[in-house]
Amino acid sequence: MLEVGYLNIDNPIAITCSNEDFDDNRDFHEKAKSNRFNGFAGLLIIDDINLDEVPLPDVEATLNEIKTSSTLGFSVKSSKDEPLMEAARFAVKNLYLMELDARSGMSAVRLSDLVKRIKKCGTTLSAKLSPEMLTEDLAVTLRNGGLDIIHLNLCGMNGTGPKIVKKISDQHGPRIMALGDIGNFEDAESLLAMGADFVSLHRPDPDFADWLSKAMKEYDHISGWYNAPKHICSGGDLRGLAFCCPPVKHCPVLGALRRAGMSPEDFVERKLRLAKGTPLEGGEGTCFGSLVWCCKASKSCYLRDAVLRRAGLSNRDYMSLKRKLAMQLLKT
């Protein structure tokens, strides 16, 4: 479903677990075999590895012994750079995700430098950050340095997590992994709909994690766009421009276009050009004569649905096309 660097990740649910998730009376090397999070999650990240305390060979042995169908990653920190560079080379060799844990006082300057150096190794790289650390300037720097994923801890944000995700998503930076207070499908969907690419669960109930992973994979199969945005007029992120009408009246699309750096005229020209030669170009009988201007499949519209039936397009086909349109529309 998701391609990130050299990784192919089956679904957008990630699990983070640490030594505490293993039997406490065994050493780090042996605890891998008792991992209970080896089910259906798209990504499994072994967390809280301090390379100042745990030798990299022990980490390597542990990761290599974990039996899971999930894509595997590890999250590390160190007061020195060289152990992190060694970890980066190990990640590339074994096709693991490497994550830099930057929450414990790592400066933005050091983080930016490490990202550039690690990416030169070819490593698929994530950085775990707190929201207050991630300024707009840092987000741009990390994007330009090649960072693949920003992993944000949004737990305890009292419902403001989706707004933070939206703000970062609108900066067109690295992919977003959101760690949040997830208790049901709707909690995960609220973060994905604002631009998160992944939702991470820290030490969840294994049965719940398996259920959510399978439910999200099925939702993507049915819908064609697992993290489809809300409409702009409902507070959605900039990807929602794929569903907007031409800006013929005063409405929230004008503010969204300013944030996207597009004039109304440029917006209309881009959408029409991107739709040309695709099934979205047609649409006689819809409000503006083309499916490119139509709303989400989840919003009832008999005019759009009639055109889709005539064209032989399913809702999944339609949303997949809109997903591609959104990516192209916002590409700089």
Side-chain angles (χ1 to χ4, degrees), residues 18-28 30-31 34 203:
S18 63
N19 291 358
E20 297 177 14
D21 298 297
F22 304 110
D23 187 349
D24 288 333
N25 54 25
R26 278 186 280 176
D27 63 25
F28 188 82
E30 288 296 320
K31 289 173 183 177
S34 64
R203 303 179 65 195

Side-chain angles (χ1 to χ4, degrees), residues 2-22:
L2 292 158
E3 294 184 7
V4 186
Y6 47 68
L7 302 177
N8 290 295
I9 302 173
D10 183 64
N11 65 75
I13 303 303
I15 292 174
T16 65
C17 57
S18 63
N19 291 358
E20 297 177 14
D21 298 297
F22 304 110

Side-chain angles (χ1 to χ4, degrees), residues 229-241:
K230 294 182 177 181
H231 293 102
I232 294 294
C233 52
S234 296
D237 63 278
L238 291 178
R239 298 173 303 144
L241 288 169

